[in-house]
Amino acid sequence: MTATLTTPAPGRTGGRKRRTKVHHKGAIFAFVVPFGVLFAAFYLVPIGYAIVQSTLVVEREGTFGKATEVFGGLQQYALVFQNAPFWRSVGRVLLFGVVQVPVMLGLALLFALLLDSPLVKGKKFFRLAFFVPYAVPGVIAAIMWGFLFSPDLSPFTALTQNVHFLSADLVLWSIANVVTWVFVGYNMLIIYSSLLAIPTEVYEAARLDGASQARIAWSIKIPMVRPAIVLTAIFSIIGTLQLLAEPQVFRSFSSAVTSTFTPNMTVYATSSIPNFNLAAAFSVVLALATFVLSFTFLKFTQRKDAS
């Protein structure tokens, strides 16, 4: 890559300009290569390894013969599509996402609008207070909420002994509560940063037209931060299908959370058997499903923006 500088020819003023090429190949190489190496080592290579492993099957000579891996084509994928617990776990997290993601993003948008409102005082305190839960590791947050939901351990026994938060009917929504509590602040900051980028002249023009703060929020702020909302929604869709830490911790508190409660838990349990080839096939199918769902949502929102 080269950059071009234009300088006037020596001894002449206002004459034809001479172009001088300045080379930056060394700087480009220095910046790109470290990223490329890490990207390949920790992203491309693991993906390729998982795809290769998903095409292998284990064969033995006799009952106790030596196990060898041979190419099996799509045999592992056939097992994936025949695995009912895996698809039940996919349906479970999809139900989780349909309810939890809109609630979480709705709260994040509400908090961002409140922080951006000139009527709210103590913005620095509330911005920190809303974000603090995200600073708590997900495992720690799940343990904390698990104790709060446990009928025998919670300090709110009058509530937890009457409302069984860890039962089969409610444990999914108890996990949703943990995820919402942790990630509302993170999504709020993304939306709030987008609100800060809106020119103040837009607000001044709206106020001159007699618009109230509620009208400005509904007609100006929310439409202008739509790209940020779409971005947080895509992140949330990906995170929903990858749900692992919170339900894994809740297994210690509730027998309703099985080893196949979510797709990632199914992958983890399968690899612990160990059946790495089937676990790799689960992972590839889950990755493709995540890509398709995220891409479909993105295209849907872009089509609505264009219409």
Side-chain angles (χ1 to χ4, degrees):
M1 180 177 178
T2 59
T4 303
L5 299 178
T6 57
T7 57
R12 300 174 62 181
T13 304
R16 190 171 59 185
K17 295 182 179 180
R18 178 168 53 85
R19 295 178 180 271
T20 304
K21 291 183 178 181
V22 181
H23 297 272
H24 297 291
K25 291 182 179 179
I28 295 172
F29 185 81
F31 280 108
V32 172
V33 168
F35 167 78
V37 170
L38 293 174
F39 182 76
F42 295 101
Y43 190 79
L44 297 180
V45 172
I47 289 176
Y49 181 75
I51 293 173
V52 171
Q53 285 293 310
S54 68
T55 62
L56 303 177
V57 294
V58 176
E59 290 186 352
R60 295 179 182 272
E61 296 180 1
T63 306
F64 302 102
K66 182 180 178 180
T68 56
E69 288 185 335
V70 299
F71 180 74
L74 300 178
Q75 291 185 36
Q76 300 292 358
Y77 292 98
L79 294 176
V80 170
F81 287 99
Q82 295 170 10
N83 192 291
F86 174 74
W87 293 107
R88 281 197 295 268
S89 70
V90 171
R92 189 176 292 116
V93 295
L94 289 177
L95 174 62
F96 175 96
V98 167
V99 177
Q100 188 268 338
V101 171
V103 170
M104 178 177 64
L105 296 186
L107 289 173
L109 176 62
L110 175 62
F111 293 158
L113 290 172
L114 289 174
L115 289 178
D116 194 58
S117 173
L119 304 178
V120 175
K121 306 298 181 182
K123 293 182 181 180
K124 291 183 178 180
F125 168 78
F126 286 110
R127 184 167 64 239
L128 179 62
F130 293 150
F131 183 75
V132 161
Y134 180 70
V136 179
V139 173
I140 303 301
I143 292 173
M144 179 184 71
W145 280 100
F147 277 107
L148 291 176
F149 287 142
S150 178
D152 299 324
L153 303 174
S154 174
F156 310 105
T157 53
L159 174 64
T160 57
Q161 288 181 354
N162 291 289
V163 181
H164 302 290
F165 292 103
L166 300 178
S167 65
D169 295 331
L170 295 179
V171 69
L172 181 65
W173 310 117
S174 298
I175 295 171
N177 173 79
V178 178
V179 176
T180 303
W181 182 80
V182 171
F183 286 98
V184 161
Y186 169 79
N187 293 304
M188 177 209 69
L189 279 187
I190 296 176
I191 300 172
Y192 181 59
S193 299
S194 184
L195 284 170
L196 294 178
I198 300 175
T200 55
E201 292 82 1
V202 178
Y203 300 146
E204 292 172 358
R207 283 192 288 269
L208 288 174
D209 288 339
S212 64
Q213 289 298 323
R215 183 66 176 176
I216 291 174
W218 180 259
S219 300
I220 297 176
K221 292 183 178 181
I222 294 178
M224 295 192 75
V225 299
R226 182 181 176 86
I229 297 173
V230 171
L231 177 66
T232 55
I234 292 174
F235 287 165
S236 301
I237 290 171
I238 295 172
T240 296
L241 290 172
Q242 295 179 347
L243 194 64
L244 175 64
E246 292 81 5
Q248 188 73 24
V249 171
F250 267 61
R251 287 193 68 191
S252 303
F253 298 96
S254 173
S255 59
V257 181
T258 64
S259 61
T260 59
F261 193 75
T262 68
N264 263 350
M265 291 180 69
T266 304
V267 174
Y268 180 77
T270 305
S271 64
S272 302
I273 292 177
N275 190 341
F276 300 116
N277 307 114
L278 182 57
F282 279 134
S283 301
V284 172
V285 171
L286 181 60
L288 289 175
T290 304
F291 170 78
V292 169
L293 191 59
S294 303
F295 185 77
T296 302
F297 176 80
L298 181 61
K299 284 297 181 181
F300 175 75
T301 54
Q302 289 177 342
R303 185 175 299 176
K304 287 194 68 175
D305 289 338
S307 60

XYZ file of all heavy atoms in Angstrom, residues 72-152:
635
model
N -15.985 -41.050 8.408
C -17.345 -41.578 8.430
C -18.350 -40.739 7.674
O -19.561 -40.995 7.763
N -17.868 -39.710 6.975
C -18.784 -38.865 6.214
C -19.719 -38.090 7.121
O -19.283 -37.407 8.050
N -21.005 -38.232 6.895
C -22.015 -37.475 7.645
C -22.698 -38.325 8.720
O -23.792 -37.971 9.174
C -23.063 -36.918 6.681
C -22.539 -35.964 5.598
C -23.688 -35.524 4.684
C -21.869 -34.739 6.220
N -22.051 -39.410 9.139
C -22.678 -40.284 10.140
C -22.949 -39.551 11.449
O -24.001 -39.733 12.071
C -21.790 -41.503 10.401
C -21.700 -42.469 9.236
C -20.907 -43.715 9.604
O -20.981 -44.199 10.743
N -20.144 -44.237 8.649
N -21.982 -38.734 11.893
C -22.174 -38.012 13.157
C -23.317 -37.005 13.044
O -24.087 -36.823 13.989
C -20.879 -37.288 13.552
C -19.679 -38.192 13.758
C -19.813 -39.101 14.968
O -20.799 -39.051 15.713
N -18.826 -39.961 15.163
N -23.453 -36.382 11.888
C -24.530 -35.411 11.700
C -25.892 -36.105 11.667
O -26.899 -35.535 12.115
C -24.298 -34.605 10.422
C -23.105 -33.689 10.529
C -21.868 -34.071 10.009
C -23.195 -32.460 11.174
C -20.766 -33.239 10.121
C -22.106 -31.625 11.291
C -20.885 -32.021 10.761
O -19.793 -31.196 10.889
N -25.933 -37.330 11.153
C -27.179 -38.094 11.195
C -27.586 -38.361 12.639
O -28.769 -38.278 13.001
C -27.004 -39.407 10.428
N -26.586 -38.646 13.490
C -26.871 -38.863 14.914
C -27.351 -37.578 15.582
O -28.198 -37.614 16.480
C -25.628 -39.396 15.622
C -25.148 -40.790 15.199
C -23.854 -41.151 15.916
C -26.224 -41.838 15.489
N -26.780 -36.448 15.155
C -27.205 -35.163 15.716
C -28.681 -34.925 15.447
O -29.454 -34.567 16.347
C -26.360 -34.011 15.128
C -26.969 -32.659 15.512
C -24.926 -34.094 15.625
N -29.122 -35.151 14.225
C -30.510 -34.875 13.872
C -31.467 -35.922 14.437
O -32.675 -35.709 14.452
C -30.654 -34.783 12.356
C -30.077 -33.514 11.788
C -28.815 -33.500 11.222
C -30.784 -32.325 11.861
C -28.270 -32.325 10.713
C -30.256 -31.143 11.359
C -28.996 -31.142 10.781
N -30.930 -37.036 14.927
C -31.763 -38.042 15.585
C -31.772 -37.879 17.099
O -32.488 -38.598 17.787
C -31.242 -39.445 15.242
C -31.362 -39.804 13.766
C -30.619 -41.087 13.432
O -30.163 -41.810 14.323
N -30.482 -41.381 12.146
N -30.984 -36.933 17.610
C -30.829 -36.763 19.055
C -31.925 -35.847 19.598
O -31.838 -34.615 19.495
C -29.438 -36.195 19.357
C -29.097 -36.271 20.837
O -29.680 -35.574 21.644
N -28.153 -37.132 21.175
N -32.952 -36.429 20.185
C -34.095 -35.647 20.683
C -33.715 -34.689 21.816
O -34.177 -33.540 21.829
C -35.217 -36.590 21.121
N -32.900 -35.102 22.808
C -32.541 -34.162 23.881
C -31.854 -32.900 23.367
O -32.089 -31.807 23.895
C -31.606 -34.991 24.775
C -32.014 -36.396 24.543
C -32.396 -36.462 23.106
N -31.019 -33.044 22.337
C -30.324 -31.873 21.795
C -31.329 -30.888 21.205
O -31.253 -29.678 21.459
C -29.319 -32.305 20.726
C -28.660 -31.158 20.004
C -27.691 -30.407 20.632
C -29.031 -30.832 18.708
C -27.082 -29.339 19.972
C -28.432 -29.776 18.043
C -27.448 -29.033 18.678
N -32.281 -31.383 20.446
C -33.250 -30.492 19.817
C -34.244 -29.928 20.820
O -34.746 -28.814 20.651
C -33.955 -31.211 18.667
C -32.987 -31.501 17.567
C -32.461 -32.708 17.225
C -32.375 -30.537 16.692
N -31.566 -32.574 16.193
C -31.494 -31.259 15.839
C -32.492 -29.164 16.544
C -30.734 -30.625 14.867
C -31.739 -28.535 15.571
C -30.879 -29.265 14.744
N -34.500 -30.671 21.895
C -35.318 -30.096 22.975
C -34.568 -28.943 23.641
O -35.176 -27.928 24.011
C -35.686 -31.166 24.001
C -36.841 -32.058 23.572
C -37.436 -32.798 24.755
N -36.479 -33.732 25.344
C -36.358 -35.000 25.002
N -37.139 -35.504 24.045
N -35.483 -35.797 25.591
N -33.267 -29.102 23.805
C -32.464 -28.027 24.408
C -32.429 -26.804 23.495
O -32.460 -25.666 23.978
C -31.048 -28.524 24.694
O -30.313 -28.740 23.497
N -32.374 -27.014 22.174
C -32.423 -25.893 21.235
C -33.761 -25.161 21.359
O -33.810 -23.922 21.416
C -32.199 -26.379 19.785
C -32.460 -25.248 18.794
C -30.787 -26.924 19.607
N -34.848 -25.918 21.396
C -36.159 -25.304 21.572
C -36.267 -24.547 22.883
O -36.894 -23.481 22.954
N -35.633 -25.080 23.929
C -35.680 -24.435 25.243
C -34.978 -23.077 25.213
O -35.503 -22.078 25.731
C -35.043 -25.356 26.284
C -35.215 -24.893 27.726
C -34.630 -25.909 28.684
N -35.385 -27.154 28.687
C -34.907 -28.331 28.288
N -33.661 -28.430 27.834
N -35.667 -29.409 28.320
N -33.797 -23.017 24.607
C -33.082 -21.733 24.580
C -33.743 -20.751 23.611
O -33.656 -19.529 23.804
C -31.591 -21.917 24.232
C -30.873 -22.698 25.314
C -31.400 -22.555 22.875
N -34.415 -21.251 22.575
C -35.148 -20.350 21.692
C -36.313 -19.706 22.429
O -36.575 -18.500 22.292
C -35.644 -21.096 20.454
C -34.568 -21.504 19.437
C -35.196 -22.293 18.293
C -33.826 -20.286 18.900
N -37.025 -20.502 23.236
C -38.092 -19.948 24.077
C -37.510 -18.951 25.069
O -38.076 -17.868 25.290
C -38.802 -21.080 24.814
C -39.856 -20.668 25.847
C -41.005 -19.912 25.182
C -40.383 -21.895 26.600
N -36.381 -19.303 25.648
C -35.660 -18.418 26.561
C -35.368 -17.079 25.880
O -35.621 -16.001 26.431
C -34.361 -19.102 26.986
C -33.443 -18.288 27.840
C -33.470 -18.413 29.220
C -32.525 -17.405 27.285
C -32.602 -17.677 30.014
C -31.670 -16.663 28.060
C -31.707 -16.795 29.433
N -34.839 -17.132 24.648
C -34.462 -15.915 23.937
C -35.650 -15.064 23.537
O -35.584 -13.824 23.591
N -36.751 -15.702 23.136
C -37.931 -14.954 22.706
C -38.479 -14.096 23.843
O -38.987 -12.987 23.626
C -39.013 -15.927 22.190
C -40.356 -15.236 22.041
C -38.587 -16.532 20.849
N -38.349 -14.583 25.078
C -38.864 -13.837 26.233
C -37.780 -12.947 26.836
O -37.983 -11.748 27.073
C -39.409 -14.809 27.297
C -39.865 -14.031 28.535
C -40.554 -15.630 26.727
N -36.604 -13.508 27.070
C -35.571 -12.791 27.827
C -34.933 -11.653 27.049
O -34.689 -10.567 27.609
C -34.498 -13.792 28.281
C -33.465 -13.217 29.233
C -32.235 -12.678 28.507
O -31.957 -13.070 27.372
N -31.504 -11.791 29.163
N -34.633 -11.857 25.781
C -33.921 -10.833 25.005
C -34.730 -9.542 24.890
O -34.200 -8.451 25.151
C -33.511 -11.376 23.621
C -32.974 -10.255 22.733
C -32.451 -12.465 23.777
N -36.028 -9.581 24.514
C -36.785 -8.321 24.474
C -36.878 -7.623 25.831
O -36.800 -6.390 25.906
C -38.169 -8.759 23.983
C -37.926 -10.015 23.228
C -36.826 -10.703 23.974
N -37.040 -8.406 26.908
C -37.113 -7.794 28.241
C -35.786 -7.117 28.578
O -35.758 -5.961 29.050
C -37.468 -8.856 29.298
C -37.314 -8.285 30.709
C -38.885 -9.364 29.092
N -34.673 -7.812 28.336
C -33.357 -7.263 28.651
C -33.059 -6.007 27.840
O -32.610 -4.989 28.385
C -32.280 -8.312 28.388
C -30.856 -7.838 28.623
S -29.655 -9.145 28.374
C -29.894 -9.492 26.617
N -33.321 -6.048 26.533
C -33.027 -4.890 25.685
C -33.999 -3.741 25.975
O -33.625 -2.568 25.852
C -33.088 -5.285 24.219
C -32.034 -6.314 23.772
C -32.104 -6.524 22.272
C -30.638 -5.877 24.187
N -35.243 -4.076 26.346
C -36.184 -3.032 26.728
C -35.709 -2.285 27.968
O -35.769 -1.046 28.020
N -35.226 -3.028 28.960
C -34.692 -2.383 30.166
C -33.433 -1.585 29.854
O -33.235 -0.476 30.365
C -34.392 -3.448 31.227
C -35.600 -4.116 31.879
C -35.146 -5.258 32.786
C -36.416 -3.098 32.681
N -32.553 -2.144 28.999
C -31.329 -1.439 28.623
C -31.649 -0.121 27.924
O -31.031 0.913 28.198
C -30.470 -2.328 27.722
N -32.641 -0.147 27.022
C -33.047 1.074 26.321
C -33.652 2.078 27.292
O -33.360 3.287 27.223
C -34.041 0.723 25.210
C -34.637 1.895 24.432
C -33.553 2.679 23.710
C -35.689 1.394 23.438
N -34.486 1.601 28.205
C -35.113 2.490 29.190
C -34.061 3.168 30.056
O -34.097 4.395 30.258
C -36.090 1.696 30.055
C -36.744 2.464 31.224
C -37.592 3.621 30.697
C -37.580 1.517 32.076
N -33.093 2.395 30.562
C -32.047 2.971 31.407
C -31.178 3.950 30.622
O -30.774 4.991 31.146
C -31.178 1.863 31.998
C -31.905 0.987 32.987
C -31.454 -0.302 33.269
C -33.030 1.445 33.643
C -32.116 -1.108 34.177
C -33.702 0.642 34.556
C -33.246 -0.630 34.827
N -30.880 3.629 29.356
C -30.069 4.537 28.536
C -30.805 5.853 28.301
O -30.201 6.933 28.359
C -29.729 3.864 27.202
N -32.109 5.779 28.052
C -32.895 6.993 27.848
C -32.961 7.825 29.133
O -32.912 9.059 29.091
C -34.304 6.636 27.375
C -34.419 6.065 25.959
C -35.839 5.578 25.693
C -34.008 7.091 24.914
N -33.071 7.164 30.266
C -33.094 7.885 31.537
C -31.768 8.594 31.788
O -31.739 9.744 32.239
C -33.408 6.918 32.682
C -34.842 6.391 32.752
C -34.976 5.342 33.836
C -35.822 7.537 32.987
N -30.659 7.903 31.486
C -29.354 8.526 31.687
C -29.143 9.699 30.740
O -28.419 10.649 31.066
C -28.235 7.494 31.481
C -28.088 6.421 32.548
C -26.983 5.450 32.167
C -27.785 7.046 33.903
N -29.751 9.639 29.566
C -29.582 10.713 28.588
C -30.570 11.854 28.793
O -30.447 12.894 28.158
C -29.753 10.131 27.171
C -29.272 11.063 26.090
O -28.082 11.442 26.108
O -30.086 11.433 25.216
N -31.525 11.665 29.672
C -32.527 12.691 29.894
C -31.965 13.833 30.739
O -31.284 13.595 31.748
C -33.753 12.096 30.600
O -34.661 13.118 30.969
N -32.241 15.073 30.381
C -31.765 16.200 31.204
C -32.515 16.331 32.524
O -32.115 17.107 33.394
C -32.035 17.409 30.294
C -33.145 16.989 29.391
C -32.945 15.522 29.162
N -33.578 15.589 32.697
C -34.374 15.677 33.916
C -33.825 14.804 35.044
O -34.222 14.969 36.192
C -35.825 15.267 33.623
C -36.541 16.048 32.511
C -37.941 15.501 32.298
C -36.583 17.538 32.843
N -32.918 13.879 34.715
C -32.402 12.932 35.710
C -31.130 13.484 36.338
O -30.235 13.961 35.632
C -32.126 11.558 35.058
C -31.476 10.605 36.051
C -33.427 10.975 34.521
N -31.039 13.410 37.648
C -29.857 13.857 38.380
C -29.030 12.639 38.815
O -29.529 11.532 38.902
C -30.263 14.672 39.608
C -31.196 15.844 39.291
C -30.546 16.850 38.362
C -31.489 18.027 38.088
N -30.898 19.013 37.151
N -27.776 12.868 39.106
C -26.899 11.794 39.569
C -26.605 10.759 38.499
O -26.589 9.556 38.776
N -26.340 11.218 37.284
C -26.158 10.297 36.168
C -24.931 9.406 36.348
O -24.945 8.231 35.995
C -26.056 11.072 34.855
C -27.347 11.777 34.462
C -27.195 12.489 33.127
C -28.487 13.200 32.760
N -28.381 13.910 31.461
N -23.853 9.960 36.890
C -22.633 9.169 37.073
C -22.877 7.994 38.019
O -22.415 6.879 37.781
C -21.504 10.046 37.597
C -20.993 11.070 36.593
C -19.819 11.858 37.156
C -19.290 12.857 36.119
N -18.143 13.642 36.657
N -23.610 8.260 39.080
C -23.907 7.191 40.045
C -24.763 6.097 39.405
O -24.468 4.901 39.533
C -24.629 7.769 41.263
C -25.219 6.718 42.167
C -24.411 6.005 43.038
C -26.578 6.424 42.121
C -24.948 5.013 43.860
C -27.113 5.446 42.937
C -26.295 4.745 43.810
N -25.822 6.494 38.715
C -26.721 5.499 38.117
C -26.043 4.747 36.969
O -26.292 3.557 36.775
C -28.004 6.173 37.632
C -28.924 6.569 38.747
C -29.126 7.907 39.069
C -29.586 5.605 39.496
C -29.959 8.267 40.102
C -30.431 5.955 40.536
C -30.619 7.298 40.849
N -25.182 5.429 36.204
C -24.468 4.741 35.135
C -23.580 3.636 35.707
O -23.542 2.523 35.188
C -23.633 5.745 34.339
C -22.922 5.132 33.148
C -22.377 6.198 32.213
N -21.348 7.000 32.856
C -21.410 8.318 33.010
N -22.453 8.986 32.553
N -20.435 8.977 33.594
N -22.907 3.947 36.801
C -22.074 2.937 37.451
C -22.925 1.844 38.087
O -22.603 0.654 37.980
C -21.199 3.600 38.514
C -20.268 2.674 39.314
C -19.261 2.010 38.380
C -19.550 3.460 40.414
N -24.034 2.228 38.718
C -24.900 1.251 39.381
C -25.506 0.274 38.383
O -25.599 -0.929 38.651
C -26.007 1.973 40.142
N -25.911 0.762 37.214
C -26.485 -0.113 36.193
C -25.434 -1.055 35.594
O -25.766 -2.171 35.187
C -27.116 0.713 35.064
C -28.323 1.497 35.495
C -28.644 2.704 34.870
C -29.140 1.051 36.517
C -29.756 3.429 35.251
C -30.250 1.775 36.913
C -30.562 2.967 36.283
N -24.173 -0.594 35.545
C -23.133 -1.385 34.896
C -22.464 -2.382 35.839
O -21.907 -3.385 35.384
C -22.072 -0.451 34.294
C -20.994 -1.179 33.539
C -21.262 -1.710 32.277
C -19.730 -1.342 34.072
C -20.277 -2.393 31.578
C -18.741 -2.012 33.381
C -19.018 -2.542 32.125
N -22.509 -2.129 37.146
C -21.794 -2.970 38.116
C -22.115 -4.461 37.989
O -21.211 -5.295 38.067
C -22.051 -2.467 39.547
C -21.739 -3.539 40.589
C -21.190 -1.245 39.821
N -23.382 -4.876 37.788
C -23.645 -6.323 37.663
C -22.850 -6.995 36.555
O -22.487 -8.171 36.678
C -25.155 -6.370 37.379
C -25.694 -5.151 38.029
C -24.650 -4.110 37.827
N -22.562 -6.274 35.468
C -21.788 -6.878 34.382
C -20.350 -7.161 34.812
O -19.703 -8.052 34.265
C -21.790 -5.959 33.157
C -21.018 -6.515 31.992
C -21.494 -7.621 31.293
C -19.813 -5.944 31.598
C -20.787 -8.154 30.227
C -19.099 -6.464 30.533
C -19.585 -7.564 29.844
O -18.869 -8.086 28.788
N -19.858 -6.412 35.807
C -18.505 -6.642 36.310
C -18.417 -7.903 37.164
O -17.316 -8.382 37.447
C -18.028 -5.431 37.121
N -19.550 -8.432 37.567
C -19.570 -9.680 38.350
C -19.495 -10.856 37.374
O -20.316 -10.949 36.462
C -20.860 -9.775 39.196
C -20.896 -11.083 39.976
C -20.974 -8.578 40.123
N -18.524 -11.752 37.523
C -18.451 -12.919 36.618
C -19.749 -13.709 36.620
O -20.440 -13.810 37.646
C -17.292 -13.732 37.203
C -16.453 -12.734 37.939
C -17.419 -11.719 38.484
N -20.093 -14.256 35.457
C -21.358 -14.962 35.322
C -21.521 -16.109 36.293
O -22.617 -16.351 36.818
N -20.440 -16.830 36.569
C -20.513 -17.959 37.505
C -20.832 -17.459 38.908
O -21.665 -18.047 39.622
C -19.193 -18.750 37.489
C -19.183 -19.812 38.580
C -18.968 -19.395 36.126
N -20.170 -16.383 39.323
C -20.414 -15.818 40.659
C -21.852 -15.320 40.764
O -22.530 -15.533 41.783
C -19.427 -14.679 40.952
C -17.975 -15.172 40.836
C -19.681 -14.096 42.324
C -17.632 -16.298 41.773
N -22.324 -14.657 39.703
C -23.708 -14.172 39.714
C -24.693 -15.330 39.816
O -25.688 -15.250 40.547
C -23.975 -13.356 38.442
N -24.428 -16.427 39.102
C -25.325 -17.583 39.150
C -25.327 -18.218 40.542
O -26.384 -18.622 41.046
C -24.910 -18.607 38.096
N -24.165 -18.310 41.169
C -24.084 -18.867 42.527
C -24.870 -17.980 43.502
O -25.636 -18.472 44.340
C -22.620 -18.991 42.972
C -21.909 -20.063 42.134
C -22.527 -19.337 44.454
C -20.416 -20.145 42.391
N -24.676 -16.677 43.384
C -25.366 -15.740 44.281
C -26.878 -15.856 44.143
O -27.600 -15.990 45.148
C -24.914 -14.311 43.956
C -25.578 -13.244 44.811
S -25.081 -11.589 44.294
C -25.959 -11.479 42.712
N -27.377 -15.830 42.899
C -28.810 -15.935 42.682
C -29.328 -17.334 43.016
O -30.482 -17.488 43.458
C -29.155 -15.580 41.246
C -29.204 -14.106 41.010
C -28.231 -13.323 40.453
C -30.272 -13.222 41.354
N -28.631 -12.018 40.418
C -29.882 -11.921 40.951
C -31.525 -13.403 41.937
C -30.699 -10.811 41.140
C -32.343 -12.295 42.111
C -31.926 -11.018 41.720
N -28.503 -18.357 42.829
C -28.905 -19.706 43.215
C -29.187 -19.797 44.705
O -30.174 -20.430 45.126
N -28.340 -19.156 45.513
C -28.584 -19.127 46.953
C -29.846 -18.317 47.281
O -30.620 -18.692 48.176
C -27.381 -18.525 47.684
C -26.280 -19.504 47.947
C -25.098 -19.470 47.231
C -26.428 -20.491 48.921
C -24.086 -20.384 47.462
C -25.425 -21.414 49.172
C -24.245 -21.361 48.435
N -30.055 -17.222 46.563
C -31.242 -16.400 46.827
C -32.531 -17.129 46.460
O -33.570 -16.929 47.093
C -31.145 -15.088 46.035
C -30.075 -14.099 46.492
C -30.036 -12.901 45.552
C -30.332 -13.643 47.924
N -32.474 -18.005 45.444
C -33.659 -18.742 45.007
C -33.875 -20.037 45.798
O -34.971 -20.596 45.769
C -33.548 -19.092 43.524
C -33.735 -17.917 42.603
C -32.961 -17.802 41.455
C -34.675 -16.940 42.876
C -33.128 -16.729 40.590
C -34.847 -15.855 42.023
C -34.072 -15.748 40.878
N -32.853 -20.513 46.476
C -32.954 -21.792 47.187
C -33.876 -21.669 48.402
O -33.693 -20.770 49.236
C -31.565 -22.249 47.633
O -31.646 -23.461 48.356
N -34.860 -22.540 48.550
C -35.814 -22.424 49.672
C -35.152 -22.525 51.039
O -35.601 -21.881 51.989
C -36.772 -23.599 49.442
C -36.631 -23.934 47.998
C -35.211 -23.641 47.634
N -34.081 -23.334 51.149
C -33.463 -23.563 52.452
C -32.332 -22.587 52.754
O -31.956 -22.428 53.925
C -32.908 -24.994 52.516
C -34.004 -26.033 52.335
O -35.124 -25.790 52.817
O -33.730 -27.062 51.680
